[in-house]
Amino acid sequence: MSFPSLLPVAALPFPEIDPVLVQIGPLAIHWYGLAYVAGIVFAWWYARRLVSNPRLWPDGTLPMKPQDIDDFVMWAAVGVVLGGRIGYVLFYDFARYIANPADIFAVWQGGMSFHGGILGTTIAMYLFARSRGIRPWSLFDVVAAGVPVGLGLGRLANFINSELWGRTSDVSWAVLFPNGGPLPRHPSQLYEGLLEGIVLFLVLRLLTHSWLKLKAPRFVSGAFICGYGLSRIFVEFFREPDAHIGYLAGSWLTMGMLLSLPMVLLGIWAMATAKALPRSAQA
């Protein structure tokens, strides 16, 4: 959808923020990489607090030790990076990487899939939980509760990088992206950051601390993946699809929607079937 009569001067100017935060010689620290690190650190810190609060768990029995969370951080980082990269290669640009296999390892050029990242982290969580004798769903719940902050920071970094911008629009807050053509566009990265980051985190905080849903394993996980899926599907109506993929049907269905729909269904199932543990249940 475009608006040929729209004048670029009606749009908000794109803020001049260098995607590189600090550069020392050949070493560059990008906002996008910093967002990943900050998201992982926050999720680690928040998970430690959750597993240290007996009020949140059945009969006050903690499901794991804070040290378990410390040990899991490396597993999570590997799962996010490998899963995110492999997911992008498979779901979004398979033909290119088959033709140029060496590009698969050029992660500094960008190209990460959230759906692949969450799958990689889920596998890492399951393997780690089984190796420590922890209920897998309780670990899923603890990790999921802190993930939205990292998602929000990541979308903010996408905005700074002038990537994944939205469709052309005549709304008063539309932005002229430097590489988005002559017409103003929805700042869809900010929409997604608001929904996936702030709103979803607050919803999960309500579930964990007010409704005490950590006592019913997989409810919080289900709320997270369902909430993310719904947020992503909504924002896809404003986000420009990847040029090499385009729309999958008509002028509305995108790959992001297609990958998010199973998440919504899985999340609904998880919440509907979650049951509170007996008071005597042990980790």
Side-chain angles (χ1 to χ4, degrees):
M1 182 183 301
S2 62
F3 300 89
S5 62
L6 194 64
L7 296 177
V9 294
L12 298 176
F14 184 78
E16 295 184 6
I17 303 176
D18 193 334
V20 178
L21 175 61
V22 178
Q23 182 156 2
I24 304 174
L27 178 63
I29 300 177
H30 294 254
W31 285 105
Y32 191 74
L34 186 62
Y36 262 84
V37 173
I40 291 174
V41 170
F42 177 84
W44 161 74
W45 171 81
Y46 194 65
R48 281 181 58 93
R49 291 182 61 87
L50 293 178
V51 301
S52 300
N53 189 344
R55 184 182 74 87
L56 305 180
W57 302 96
D59 203 25
T61 302
L62 299 176
M64 65 198 82
K65 302 180 181 66
Q67 291 77 11
D68 292 321
I69 300 298
D70 297 343
D71 295 339
F72 176 66
V73 170
M74 183 57 66
W75 290 61
V78 172
V80 167
V81 174
L82 285 182
R85 187 59 172 173
I86 293 172
Y88 184 83
V89 170
L90 294 178
F91 300 144
Y92 288 95
D93 213 351
F94 186 68
R96 171 198 164 190
Y97 290 107
I98 286 296
N100 303 279
D103 288 352
I104 295 176
F105 305 99
V107 294
W108 56 88
Q109 296 178 359
M112 296 288 284
S113 162
F114 171 80
H115 298 91
I118 195 172
L119 181 58
T121 307
T122 299
I123 293 172
M125 283 190 288
Y126 178 80
L127 295 176
F128 181 83
R130 300 298 296 179
S131 71
R132 295 293 178 96
I134 298 170
R135 288 189 301 269
W137 279 112
S138 289
L139 180 59
F140 293 172
D141 291 343
V142 166
V143 172
V147 168
V149 170
L151 296 181
L153 293 175
R155 295 310 179 191
L156 182 59
N158 289 145
F159 179 79
I160 292 174
N161 289 347
S162 185
E163 59 189 6
L164 306 182
W165 18 257
R167 308 182 194 186
T168 54
S169 173
D170 60 352
V171 296
S172 60
W173 57 88
V175 174
L176 269 175
F177 290 95
N179 57 343
L183 295 177
R185 295 179 175 275
H186 283 287
S188 56
Q189 314 97 320
L190 301 184
Y191 302 169
E192 206 163 348
L194 175 64
L195 291 175
E196 298 172 5
I198 298 174
V199 174
L200 186 54
F201 175 76
L202 293 176
V203 169
L204 297 181
R205 176 78 181 187
L206 179 67
L207 293 178
T208 56
H209 286 71
S210 297
W211 294 359
L212 301 178
K213 286 299 185 179
L214 287 173
K215 297 183 178 184
R218 75 169 166 261
F219 192 96
V220 174
S221 301
F224 166 72
I225 57 177
C226 181
Y228 173 85
L230 290 174
S231 300
R232 180 65 181 270
I233 289 172
F234 173 76
V235 174
E236 286 288 314
F237 284 103
F238 303 94
R239 177 174 164 177
E240 186 78 14
D242 293 274
H244 58 280
I245 297 178
Y247 296 102
L248 303 181
S251 60
W252 64 275
L253 182 63
T254 67
M255 179 62 76
M257 292 179 182
L258 192 64
L259 295 175
S260 296
L261 181 58
M263 296 181 68
V264 174
L265 299 177
L266 179 60
I268 292 173
W269 167 83
M271 289 186 288
T273 58
K275 296 181 181 180
L277 290 172
R279 291 181 62 84
S280 59
Q282 302 293 317

